[in-house]
Amino acid sequence: MSRELSARQARRIALAAQGLAAPRPAGPVTPARFRKLARQLGVLQIDSVNVFARAHYTPVFARLGPYPTALLDKEAWGKRPSLFEYWGHVASLMPIELQPLFRWRMQWYRDWKGHGERKSGIAMFGQARRAYVEGVLAEIERRGPVTGGDFAEGKRTPGWWNWSEGKMAVEYLFATGQIAVKTRRGFERVYDLTERVIPPAVLNAPTPSAADAKRELVRIAANALGVATLADLADYFRILQAEARLAADELVEAGALEPVKVEGWAGRSYMAAGATAPRKLAAASLLSPFDNLIWRRERTERMFNARFRIEIYVPAHKREHGYYVYPFLLGERIAARVDLKADRAAGVLRVQAAHLEPGADEDETAPALATELRCAADWLGLADVAVAGRGDLAERLRRALG
């Protein structure tokens, strides 16, 4: 019979697994502390939106507090990186030692046949234009690091590639693992041959079978989630649920996972071996819309009874909470939501809307949120925090900020 967990126990286990239970470390964030968190989470999602801060920077801030973003840049794109870019959850940064676990995905793009498989425009292009793609690869080998912009229409020479086809070729070579992201210029990827990016010790590591790799990815996902449904486990690194189920069964047999029944959760769930529910939680964190904790909206609703949706593409007059909204995690609950904008020209962190979650204590939430907003502004190099009038928490938050 599966062990039974209360909804509160499951929530606390999940928060601890995500590094959101314990107090933030005192003192500067060291490279070792950063790497430990990256291994704990397994993946950081990359996204281009920079209204407040780019998505890959914010989960670290939520868990470790203000840290120099140059530290992440160095770990991802420096001379001795501890992270690499690839398709993990989506576009992602992951610990570099995980690179062999994604070679099955790279091979999938190479072997894609299109019959009964999920659609892939990149794989289709690579199959149809093989000789052309090989020419692009040879040019990268000759030239060294390139960007998608190097293939732009306006920059080509006779015989060179136009932007759309050149960009597709580069994306195919990246998906198949023949080139890798060496660095970024602003937000633009800079690619080079994989053997000139990935350290030899990782590049020469044995390639696991697809089944072994997926089982290990499910184990990493389970450790990062603490307690999860099968769909949660599959979503973390975007593998098929049927494959996740097989991997989970094998991990249960090996003692790495334990089947559990969670109050209010449908069906069987899984808990990572050794996962525990902390007695105290110290979280007071702003969560990016792309934070690992709230990736799956169904999971967010299960754990926090909070329906969260990104409203960027919703017409302004129909938005409920704002354009780019950060839930505020206080203790073990989502207590508020704030629509944030870093006005870098004015040196101000603008809170364009502030809403209290149902059941949250306004007098407890507003001061804690004000403290975190000041911390966030300082982290971003902004001198002030300004609250607009929208939302039922706005006036109380304005007073808390003084």
Side-chain angles (χ1 to χ4, degrees), residues 183-210:
T183 187
R184 280 184 179 256
R185 294 175 189 158
F187 194 68
E188 187 177 28
R189 287 171 171 169
V190 179
Y191 303 91
D192 203 351
L193 298 182
T194 297
E195 56 265 33
R196 298 199 292 233
V197 175
I198 303 297
V202 175
L203 197 63
N204 297 329
T207 299
S209 69

Side-chain angles (χ1 to χ4, degrees), residues 47-58 69 187 323-324 326 340-352 376-386:
D47 188 78
S48 62
V49 177
N50 196 26
V51 177
F52 171 71
R54 296 202 193 279
H56 47 291
Y57 295 114
T58 51
T69 56
F187 194 68
Y323 177 75
Y324 199 68
Y326 276 64
L340 299 180
K341 177 180 175 62
D343 186 343
R344 296 170 177 87
V348 176
L349 175 58
R350 301 198 181 279
V351 184
Q352 303 187 112
D378 185 63
W379 175 55
L380 295 174
L382 304 173
D384 198 8
V385 180

Side-chain angles (χ1 to χ4, degrees), residues 8-261:
R8 188 182 189 194
Q9 285 176 312
R11 182 168 56 249
R12 287 179 164 236
I13 290 169
L15 288 168
Q18 280 284 298
L20 285 162
R24 289 169 172 171
V29 176
T30 64
R33 189 66 187 84
F34 175 91
R35 292 170 188 168
K36 181 180 179 181
L37 177 64
R39 289 192 296 270
Q40 182 176 355
L41 296 178
V43 56
L44 297 171
Q45 181 173 344
I46 298 172
D47 188 78
S48 62
V49 177
N50 196 26
V51 177
F52 171 71
R54 296 202 193 279
H56 47 291
Y57 295 114
T58 51
V60 181
F61 172 73
R63 290 154 177 82
L64 301 184
Y67 74 103
T69 56
L71 172 58
L72 184 148
D73 295 341
K74 184 177 180 181
E75 295 296 318
W77 305 294
K79 291 183 178 179
R80 295 180 179 85
S82 65
L83 304 175
F84 81 108
E85 279 196 49
Y86 191 61
W87 299 110
H89 179 69
V90 285
S92 304
L93 287 167
M94 295 170 286
I96 202 162
E97 63 269 20
L98 302 190
Q99 194 267 358
L101 300 181
F102 290 91
R103 293 176 188 167
W104 64 270
R105 182 165 283 166
M106 298 170 186
Q107 193 64 46
W108 181 90
Y109 280 102
R110 293 189 191 217
D111 295 343
W112 183 84
K113 300 296 189 298
H115 303 296
E117 297 189 82
R118 65 181 176 86
K119 293 181 179 180
S120 173
I122 292 173
M124 184 183 301
F125 179 87
Q127 293 284 340
R129 302 295 307 278
R130 190 179 301 275
Y132 174 79
V133 170
E134 289 175 356
V136 173
L137 180 62
E139 186 64 21
I140 295 172
E141 181 176 11
R142 182 187 69 81
R143 291 185 57 174
V146 299
T147 70
D150 291 326
F151 301 92
E153 179 96 27
K155 294 184 179 180
R156 67 175 180 174
T157 57
W160 192 239
W161 301 273
N162 65 41
W163 186 90
S164 59
E165 291 194 338
K167 178 63 174 175
M168 286 291 287
V170 167
E171 290 299 322
Y172 175 79
L173 291 168
F174 174 64
T176 56
Q178 297 176 76
I179 62 174
V181 178
K182 183 178 181 64
T183 187
R184 280 184 179 256
R185 294 175 189 158
F187 194 68
E188 187 177 28
R189 287 171 171 169
V190 179
Y191 303 91
D192 203 351
L193 298 182
T194 297
E195 56 265 33
R196 298 199 292 233
V197 175
I198 303 297
V202 175
L203 197 63
N204 297 329
T207 299
S209 69
D212 287 349
K214 292 170 187 177
R215 183 171 59 251
E216 180 61 10
L217 290 174
V218 169
R219 187 194 68 79
I220 293 168
N223 286 341
L225 293 168
V227 60
T229 65
L230 184 67
D232 296 337
L233 293 174
D235 180 71
Y236 207 76
F237 288 108
R238 296 290 171 90
I239 65 176
L240 298 176
Q241 284 196 35
E243 296 169 336
R245 181 180 291 107
L246 177 61
D249 289 345
E250 292 174 348
L251 289 166
V252 167
E253 187 175 347
L257 289 186
E258 177 185 352
V260 293
K261 175 67 177 176

